[in-house]
Amino acid sequence: MTDTTQWIPVALSTSIEPGTSAGTKVHGDEYVVWRDDRGKPHVWEDRCPHRGMRLSFGFVRGDQIACLYHGWRYDSAGQCRLIPAHPDLDVPKTIKVPTFAVAEAGGLIWASQSQDADPKTVPDLPDNLFSVRSLYVDAPLDGCRDHLAEVTPPDMEPAELTALSPLCLQRTAAGSMLVIAFQPLSPDRTALHILVSASADSQTRAHLAIWATGLRFSLENSFARVA
Ligand code: FES
């Protein structure tokens, strides 16, 4: 059973600019990750309560998001505030988008299905990590995590491995740190969000980006063989 208080990484911070939105998945469910104009991140169910349009296709307006289809607007608590076809209507409180708890740490946006999730349990990471990339891999979460626990990335020999949470591994070597956060998109698809310490030089960052591309192929090949 899924732990609803677990913090799940849903995007690299740098991938969601203020005033933008993007769709993603967690355990097969559609989520919208959006950032208001002041930079605050929000993670909601990606479905407009009117006719089900994805809110990730919508437009951020200040601290609200407007649906692409008929323009219904939702405030930062998910409450519908405006129905353009009926501008004077006092919108019923029942018209609301389910929202998730959100935290931002270590260059990642984290979400929890439970509003009671403890922010102190978000993995403790420095805020100045450099985003290498997000990889979308056709392989299950457990397989990706086991594989990443075994391999040592380039320029990090010998490295020490620490599990900061069930969804976040950290490797440290002299002077540098690599973080891999795992997002379970569906039972057989996983996103790997890869970050490195800001002090890593440009050559190390380039090596990691190349390594990550090869990593996706090796993971997908090994799970294609098993299937
Ligand atoms: S489907 Fe979103 S406003 Fe109609």
Side-chain angles (χ1 to χ4, degrees), residues 47-55 66-74 84:
R47 187 176 183 283
C48 177
H50 183 214
R51 295 215 182 143
M53 170 61 78
R54 288 186 185 177
L55 289 167
C67 178
L68 172 72
Y69 205 178
H70 308 97
W72 289 24
R73 275 202 194 199
Y74 301 90

Side-chain angles (χ1 to χ4, degrees), residues 124-200:
D124 186 19
L125 290 165
D127 278 327
N128 63 346
L129 295 175
F130 174 82
S131 302
V132 176
R133 61 176 297 181
S134 294
L135 274 186
Y136 295 85
V137 182
D138 288 329
L141 167 68
D142 288 350
C144 292
R145 200 170 37 200
D146 292 350
H147 183 84
L148 266 297
E150 296 289 321
V151 299
T152 303
D155 307 333
M156 296 203 73
E157 199 81 61
E160 184 181 322
L161 178 72
T162 310
L164 298 177
S165 85
L167 297 179
C168 187
L169 294 180
Q170 172 186 282
R171 275 201 181 270
T172 47
S176 88
M177 170 196 297
L178 181 80
V179 171
I180 301 179
F182 301 87
Q183 177 182 352
L185 300 168
S186 68
D188 52 9
R189 191 160 163 77
T190 306
L192 277 53
H193 304 293
I194 304 173
L195 306 101
V196 69
S197 41
S199 59

Side-chain angles (χ1 to χ4, degrees), residues 200-207:
D201 59 26
S202 55
Q203 187 182 35
T204 302
R205 294 177 187 182
H207 287 169

